[in-house]
Amino acid sequence: MSDKRRTTLKDIARALNLSPSTVSRALNSYPSLSDETIRQVKEYAEKHNYIPNTLAVNFRKNRTSILGMIVPEIVHHFFSTTISGAIETAKKQGYHVLVAQSGDTLEGEIFACRTMLGLGVDGLLISISNETVEGDHISDFLDEGKPVVQFDKITDHLKTPKVVVDDFDGAYNAVKHLIRQGYRKIAHLSGRMDVKNAHQRFLGYKKALEDHGLEFKDELVKNCIDISEKEGFNFTKELMNSLNPPDAIFCITDLVALGSMKFLQSSGYEIPAQVGLMGFSNWMLSDYTTPSLSSVDQHGDLMGSKATDILIDLIKNQELGKDTTVELKTELVYRDSSLKP
Amino acid sequence: MSDKRRTTLKDIARALNLSPSTVSRALNSYPSLSDETIRQVKEYAEKHNYIPNTLAVNFRKNRTSILGMIVPEIVHHFFSTTISGAIETAKKQGYHVLVAQSGDTLEGEIFACRTMLGLGVDGLLISISNETVEGDHISDFLDEGKPVVQFDKITDHLKTPKVVVDDFDGAYNAVKHLIRQGYRKIAHLSGRMDVKNAHQRFLGYKKALEDHGLEFKDELVKNCIDISEKEGFNFTKELMNSLNPPDAIFCITDLVALGSMKFLQSSGYEIPAQVGLMGFSNWMLSDYTTPSLSSVDQHGDLMGSKATDILIDLIKNQELGKDTTVELKTELVYRDSSLKP
DNA sequence: TTGAAAGCGATACCAA
DNA sequence: TTGGTATCGCTTTCAA
């Protein structure tokens, strides 16, 4: 193993006959220094390929420039998008992002919080697991003076800034779009009503119907438990085989919509002619199905980016932040599955 | 902001009338210490909620327990899978993974390497960008005694351990499968021949034909430049409209296969009855197309996991590793698009 | 405008 | 078995 010692600040000081403090200040461009000194030091540093020892700086300043980020699952189009957004935004401000996944379990989330706190991250970005309720493990960050920003899947138990998508609005617009296309009996494959996003989407669906003079019918709503393709398939089957089948289905997720699509196609229904279909999330694959699936884009990159901006601001100002919520607008993506001929 | 100072090692020493060194040793359970001292120290530490300052430890030991990981794009099913695999494996050994994306550009890769080196990662996992050739920025890690493990997209210019998928074998099996299904004129939508993975897949395709007594024909091979859906569409059009159209197409990637599928369907060809189709990568969406797309799974999680294991071993043994290559086997995933009725 | 020196918290060497 | 102390590299008062 090669082991040439890196050039240190002291080396430069010795070589230039300056004190370490002066060199430090020069490298950080302190205004009080003479331009000549600064130039000289920087030139020498450059020439000798000086790389500051971040470990020492961090230690001294008691910070790491690392943001912790915890998501339920990394291998998930939406979350990988938020991660990408966070990383890029952090990069611009000289921060790094350390990612962990909770596996959507409380246990995994607690473990991730522990190790991140131990590592000394400067702040936390988190989208909580399905099992998280109180979130004491998250409060630990706040207790240590480290800000936390929640995004997408959030809990109101924690008084932190939050960034979410306006699910209500997104659902409302999706359903409004279906109505405008001429669909009249619109069903909703929903999620668990105790999950905030799902509930909001349900409310948006309901409101859109009411605002457009369509009757809300309980039997046209089915609640998925694990938001799976299979559930989409089965509930759609149930709906279509009922006495009063819908002419359009708004699904809580693209995956559910895919299940729905599979049932409809396997039973000979034509999409969008006979049945309109809308998903939510705008997964990559919605563009590649046949017919392509209309959906609601959640702008994950923007969400990750926004949450990161807020977090870095708090860190820089040494604040913990208020219990505020930023709601990002969704974007309707019209594709074939909802465009009635 | 709460700002109670954390208990430090010195605090404990003072309180128990011991030297800092003894306390340090006690907390790390040095065998030379008396059990009594150890018990006493640990008890006090526990009671006063002592948390070692990781920053100080890292600084002193000159390590971070952080692995750098650079991939072309995070928002990509395969890479997010490798990331997930790396993170989970690192976790088991007490390491963290810091992810960056190069955006498939040399510039982005160099920047990522710089910041990671600056941060003081203990080692690097990298899947190089399309633009990377020499990779001096990667050698910088080796020069500092930090091991590097390449995975998936690799360069032989760098003498490091590598983990890749056996592309040749994967392609060979895919084509063999098509032949066994009864297809006889098998085309290949390939990639750039100067990209290793693409070249290997091409060779595997060719060999499979030869081994099964089928003639290799140049005009049945098309080279995609940016591996896009569009190229899949256009080249398939070209092939099918030629004098001697194929009865099956093996695509370098699922995305290309999707383009292919779209053209075939839009032109009324039946898959798999008239034309068989195979992708490569086993993207999430291959399961959701109609017909579902046969593909070759690259086991990204395993690749990330394996590369991480190798890297951590090297770090622990303070070695840089040899120029070896681990080839992981792919797995054929048979779906509808290649099962000739 | 620059220097001297203390110190961040933990570790490890040399003594005792 | 334990203590004393230098040290890691850098930043930051306080003084000059």
Side-chain angles (χ1 to χ4, degrees), chain A residues 1-4 6 51-56 58-66 73-77 80-85 87-88 91 96-101 108 111 115-120 142-146 229 255 258 261-262 265 283-285 287-290 292 317-320, chain B residues 1-4 6 51-56 58-66 73-77 80-85 87-88 91 96-101 108 111 115-120 142-146 229 255 258 261-262 265 283-285 287-290 292 317-320:
Chain A
M1 272 180 75
S2 85
D3 231 16
K4 316 172 286 206
R6 271 200 203 170
I51 303 174
N53 182 327
T54 325
L55 265 56
N58 288 347
F59 170 49
R60 182 58 231 254
K61 295 198 173 165
N62 195 32
R63 59 147 174 75
T64 53
S65 305
I66 297 178
E73 300 281 353
I74 293 171
V75 186
H76 187 300
H77 184 254
S80 70
T81 309
T82 60
I83 293 172
S84 175
I87 288 182
E88 293 309 306
K91 181 159 81 178
H96 313 270
V97 179
L98 197 84
V99 182
Q101 50 192 343
F111 183 86
T115 58
M116 291 203 164
L117 214 43
L119 231 201
L142 302 175
D143 293 344
E144 290 214 11
K146 297 177 190 295
E229 194 199 353
L255 190 61
L258 276 167
M261 187 183 284
K262 286 209 171 167
Q265 292 181 325
W283 276 24
M284 195 153 196
L285 56 84
D287 210 13
Y288 299 116
T289 55
T290 318
S292 58
N317 297 323
Q318 306 225 58
E319 291 171 28
L320 289 182
Chain B
M1 271 179 76
S2 83
D3 232 17
K4 319 168 281 202
R6 272 200 202 169
I51 304 172
N53 182 327
T54 327
L55 266 57
N58 287 348
F59 170 48
R60 182 61 230 251
K61 295 199 174 165
N62 195 32
R63 60 144 176 77
T64 52
S65 305
I66 297 179
E73 300 281 354
I74 294 172
V75 185
H76 187 301
H77 185 253
S80 69
T81 309
T82 61
I83 293 171
S84 175
I87 289 180
E88 293 309 306
K91 181 158 83 177
H96 314 269
V97 179
L98 197 84
V99 182
Q101 49 192 344
F111 182 87
T115 58
M116 291 202 164
L117 213 44
L119 231 202
L142 303 175
D143 293 344
E144 290 212 11
K146 297 178 191 294
E229 194 199 353
L255 189 60
L258 275 168
M261 186 183 284
K262 286 209 172 168
Q265 292 181 327
W283 277 21
M284 197 154 193
L285 55 84
D287 209 13
Y288 300 115
T289 54
T290 316
S292 58
N317 298 324
Q318 306 226 53
E319 292 170 30
L320 289 182

Side-chain angles (χ1 to χ4, degrees), chain B residues 61-251:
Chain B
K61 295 199 174 165
N62 195 32
R63 60 144 176 77
T64 52
S65 305
I66 297 179
L67 311 178
M69 182 170 197
I70 302 177
V71 297
E73 300 281 354
I74 294 172
V75 185
H76 187 301
H77 185 253
F78 173 69
F79 286 121
S80 69
T81 309
T82 61
I83 293 171
S84 175
I87 289 180
E88 293 309 306
T89 299
K91 181 158 83 177
K92 287 189 193 121
Q93 309 214 47
Y95 281 81
H96 314 269
V97 179
L98 197 84
V99 182
Q101 49 192 344
S102 64
D104 230 339
T105 67
L106 180 60
E107 190 195 345
E109 192 173 284
I110 290 176
F111 182 87
C113 282
R114 285 256 169 76
T115 58
M116 291 202 164
L117 213 44
L119 231 202
V121 298
D122 293 347
L124 180 70
L125 299 166
I126 187 167
S127 190
I128 63 168
S129 86
N130 258 328
E131 300 177 4
T132 307
V133 183
E134 295 292 338
D136 289 337
H137 50 294
I138 301 172
S139 310
D140 289 348
F141 284 81
L142 303 175
D143 293 344
E144 290 212 11
K146 297 178 191 294
V148 173
V149 175
Q150 299 184 71
F151 68 94
D152 192 52
K153 295 180 61 193
I154 62 173
T155 169
D156 287 328
H157 285 290
L158 293 167
K159 305 306 178 197
T160 75
K162 307 174 177 77
V163 181
V164 295
V165 110
D166 192 337
D167 282 294
F168 179 91
D169 184 70
Y172 185 94
N173 286 326
V175 176
K176 186 169 89 179
H177 160 67
L178 288 171
I179 297 171
R180 289 213 174 142
Q181 289 292 312
Y183 298 107
R184 285 294 170 269
K185 287 193 291 186
I186 303 172
H188 180 33
L189 298 191
S190 174
R192 278 167 38 196
M193 282 304 119
D194 57 333
V195 175
K196 192 162 182 173
N197 313 55
H199 190 221
Q200 287 298 313
R201 290 178 204 174
F202 166 73
L203 292 178
Y205 156 79
K206 196 170 168 187
K207 186 73 164 35
L209 293 184
E210 291 166 1
D211 284 359
H212 293 81
L214 295 181
E215 195 184 347
F216 166 77
K217 287 183 184 162
D218 230 10
E219 66 266 27
L220 284 182
V221 176
K222 303 286 177 188
N223 294 317
C224 300
I225 302 303
D226 43 86
I227 318 279
S228 64
E229 194 199 353
K230 199 181 173 82
E231 284 179 317
F233 188 95
N234 291 335
F235 279 133
T236 303
K237 186 177 191 171
E238 231 177 78
L239 285 168
M240 300 312 293
N241 292 339
S242 71
L243 290 176
N244 195 18
D247 62 356
I249 306 177
F250 168 50
C251 302

